[in-house]
Amino acid sequence: EPFRGHKGAVYSVAFSPDGRYVASGSEDGTIRLWDTETGQARGEPLQGHKGAVHSVAFSPDGLCVASGSWDTTIRLWDTETGQALGEPFRGHERAVSSVAFSPDGRYVASGSEDKTIRLWDTETGRALRKPLRGHDNFVSSVAFSLDGRCVASGSEDGTIRLWDTETRRARGEPLQGHARAVSSVAFSPDGRYVASGSDDKTIRLWDAETGQALGKPLRGHEHFVSSVAFSPDGRCVASGSRDKKIRLWDAETSQTLAQTSRDITHLIISVPTPSDSHLFTSTSHQKLNPHNNLSHIPRSVSGPHFAPPYFHHCSLLANGWVSSLEGLIYWVPPHNRHGLQHSHILTIPTNHPLGATWIDFTRFRCGTSWIQCRK
């Protein structure tokens, strides 16, 4: 059944890193947390914004939710207590349309109708230097790459831009190919590709290194594409559209894998990264819709022998697994994921005077029995 509780349209939804909860942001100015198993709201609505909440995102450790609002501010919330953490982040001159956490949880990126992207320190709430400028219209979506070195932004000007988080400069020229506004962008789990959804009714895939479009646009929706998201294994892309349908696409062949068998009652606004076989959509009708009948989505398949991993091609999936090109390598508990400094270095806090223990997985080895236990 739909998750009900908001008093206005639901603009954004996001999974917690462990998949147990969903956060939702609404036109009613509140954020709600939901238990994905029971469908029940967790505690009272998170209140503090003075305008509609257009975007929500979980921190990598799941202990915090960021929200971006039409009141021009970003807020952080404690997911255990529901309390606001510190003061609102102020700096944008118009509505905040999108927020995203860096993989280490230290920063939040925000995109705004003031045509800029800002990076914020989550500890101090201060903006890092000057805003990133380059778009000619509203910035509708932002996303971090897995290594945190790049931010992708999609804009009403019809382009996608890639930004270096160290230099605060654009990487190359704008990615051009859409005929109308870009409403959503997402990085693949390995950081090699960017997906974009547009008001021209198409989805496009881009090489994040070269900025080149990969293949032809993905066509099938009959109205604006409002949201895109990669599956945890990066093999498929989910898209939500104002045609009231969800489509799943093979990221390699660009073929449609599946679509909802019937129209969703109201416009689909947001499709977060799927967790296992679960997919959620937010709609314009004050509710969230769980879709649990997607078990036929292809999964990553490994052969009988699992080769030693090479960590320069690894990524941390949304369900906590570190994955290489050969398959899944090891799983990181939710409370330790913020300590994954690189794909092969995990920092674990301890009571030791030095403060932490580093685990280096560079020489990690696993036999064929690992394939069975990791299932």
Side-chain angles (χ1 to χ4, degrees):
E1 292 295 318
F3 295 2
R4 301 180 186 275
H6 283 296
K7 298 178 181 178
V10 179
Y11 288 140
S12 180
V13 288
F15 274 105
S16 64
D18 60 9
R20 294 174 59 194
Y21 303 107
V22 164
S24 57
S26 169
E27 181 185 29
D28 64 16
T30 71
I31 301 95
R32 301 209 71 155
L33 300 178
W34 309 83
D35 187 305
T36 57
E37 291 299 322
T38 67
Q40 298 299 308
R42 185 183 181 190
E44 297 298 315
L46 312 185
Q47 298 179 324
H49 283 297
K50 297 178 181 179
V53 177
H54 200 267
S55 182
V56 291
F58 270 96
S59 61
D61 59 11
L63 299 179
C64 176
V65 167
S67 57
S69 170
W70 287 356
D71 66 9
T72 75
T73 71
I74 297 99
R75 300 204 71 148
L76 300 183
W77 309 84
D78 187 307
T79 56
E80 288 297 323
T81 67
Q83 298 298 306
L85 298 173
E87 295 298 313
F89 298 0
R90 301 182 186 278
H92 283 297
E93 298 174 358
R94 299 190 65 176
V96 177
S97 51
S98 182
V99 292
F101 270 98
S102 63
D104 60 9
R106 295 175 59 193
Y107 307 108
V108 166
S110 59
S112 168
E113 291 185 3
D114 65 11
K115 308 178 187 178
T116 71
I117 300 96
R118 282 184 175 265
L119 299 178
W120 308 83
D121 186 307
T122 57
E123 288 294 322
T124 66
R126 295 178 180 175
L128 304 179
R129 302 180 188 176
K130 296 180 180 180
L132 310 182
R133 301 181 184 276
H135 285 296
D136 296 326
N137 209 328
F138 302 163
V139 177
S140 52
S141 182
V142 292
F144 268 100
S145 61
L146 183 71
D147 60 11
R149 296 178 180 176
C150 184
V151 168
S153 59
S155 170
E156 294 282 322
D157 66 12
T159 71
I160 301 97
R161 301 208 70 149
L162 301 178
W163 307 87
D164 189 300
T165 56
E166 290 294 324
T167 66
R168 311 292 195 275
R169 295 180 181 274
R171 290 186 175 182
E173 296 299 313
L175 280 55
Q176 297 180 322
H178 284 296
R180 301 187 66 177
V182 175
S183 56
S184 182
V185 292
F187 269 100
S188 62
D190 61 9
R192 297 170 60 192
Y193 309 111
V194 172
S196 58
S198 170
D199 286 1
D200 66 9
K201 309 177 189 178
T202 71
I203 299 95
R204 300 207 71 149
L205 299 178
W206 310 82
D207 186 305
E209 186 67 29
T210 66
Q212 296 299 308
L214 301 174
K216 296 181 179 180
L218 311 186
R219 301 182 185 277
H221 283 297
E222 299 172 359
H223 210 303
F224 301 162
V225 177
S226 49
S227 185
V228 293
F230 276 94
S231 62
D233 62 10
R235 297 184 64 189
C236 78
V237 174
S239 59
S241 167
R242 293 193 180 188
D243 65 8
K244 306 177 185 178
K245 283 188 171 65
I246 307 161
R247 284 180 174 266
L248 300 179
W249 311 82
D250 188 303
E252 184 174 349
T253 68
S254 301
Q255 298 299 308
T256 300
L257 297 173
Q259 69 173 16
T260 46
S261 57
R262 59 186 178 85
D263 288 357
I264 308 301
T265 309
H266 289 261
L267 306 183
I268 296 172
I269 299 173
S270 176
V271 180
T273 301
S275 173
D276 297 325
S277 60
H278 294 75
L279 191 70
F280 275 75
T281 58
S282 66
T283 75
S284 60
H285 195 54
Q286 309 173 19
K287 62 184 181 180
L288 288 80
N289 296 288
H291 306 276
N292 301 324
N293 60 342
L294 302 175
S295 58
H296 58 287
I297 299 174
R299 303 291 180 202
S300 293
V301 179
S302 299
H305 300 288
F306 186 60
Y310 295 92
F311 287 93
H312 60 288
H313 285 308
C314 287
S315 59
L316 177 65
L317 306 184
N319 58 10
W321 280 92
V322 171
S323 173
S324 73
L325 296 178
E326 290 81 14
L328 302 178
I329 303 175
Y330 64 90
W331 182 79
V332 185
H335 57 278
N336 289 130
R337 289 174 198 167
H338 65 283
L340 195 67
Q341 304 299 315
H342 303 282
S343 56
H344 63 289
I345 298 289
L346 180 64
T347 302
I348 300 178
T350 68
N351 293 325
H352 191 276
L354 293 179
T357 296
W358 279 30
I359 301 178
D360 189 341
F361 290 91
T362 305
R363 297 186 179 182
F364 181 83
R365 295 292 182 269
C366 46
T368 54
S369 60
W370 177 243
I371 296 175
Q372 300 302 318
C373 75
R374 68 194 172 102
K375 291 180 181 179

